[in-house]
Amino acid sequence: SDSTIRNWRADGENGIWIQDRSKNWYYGTFATRCRDVDFAQAIGVDTRGAGRLDRFATILVRGERCPLISFVSSAPPPTKAELKAKREVEKAAKSN
C-alpha cells in the first residue's frame, strides 16, 4: 500500500488500523507495546526509504519508535459502541 495515510485508529497498545488514500484499511501489529499511541493526536511513519507502508515500517508516536511485525488488509476498525460492548463482555467474563 502507498504510505499516504487518510485515517488511523489505535488498537490499545497492541496495534493500529490505518486507512490509505484509496480508503482501504490495514491492520498493523506492534512488535512490543506502543504505550502512547492510544492518546496520540498524530503519528509518523518510517518506511526506511521504501516509500510504502508495510510490515517492516516503524510507527513514530511522541518520539517513541513502534516497529510493526505484521501489516495486513483489514476490515475497518470497530466503532466506539462496538469497542465498548466488547470491553463490557470481557469485564463480565473476568468477574465470573
Side-chain angles (χ1 to χ4, degrees), residues 32-81:
T32 57
R33 286 177 28 185
C34 188
R35 288 189 309 272
D36 289 336
V37 71
D38 227 4
F39 307 102
Q41 300 298 311
I43 59 170
V45 179
D46 177 2
T47 60
R48 308 154 340 282
R52 69 176 185 276
L53 189 46
D54 60 23
R55 67 190 174 94
F56 302 110
T58 297
I59 305 298
L60 310 173
V61 182
R62 294 182 174 178
E64 186 182 358
R65 298 181 63 81
C66 300
L68 297 175
I69 51 169
S70 74
F71 192 72
V72 296
S73 292
S74 169
T79 64
K80 298 247 191 286

Side-chain angles (χ1 to χ4, degrees), residues 1 13 16-17 21 42-43 56 62 67 72 85 94:
S1 75
E13 301 177 335
I16 188 167
W17 285 277
R21 69 173 164 209
I43 59 170
F56 302 110
R62 294 182 174 178
V72 296
K94 279 184 187 142

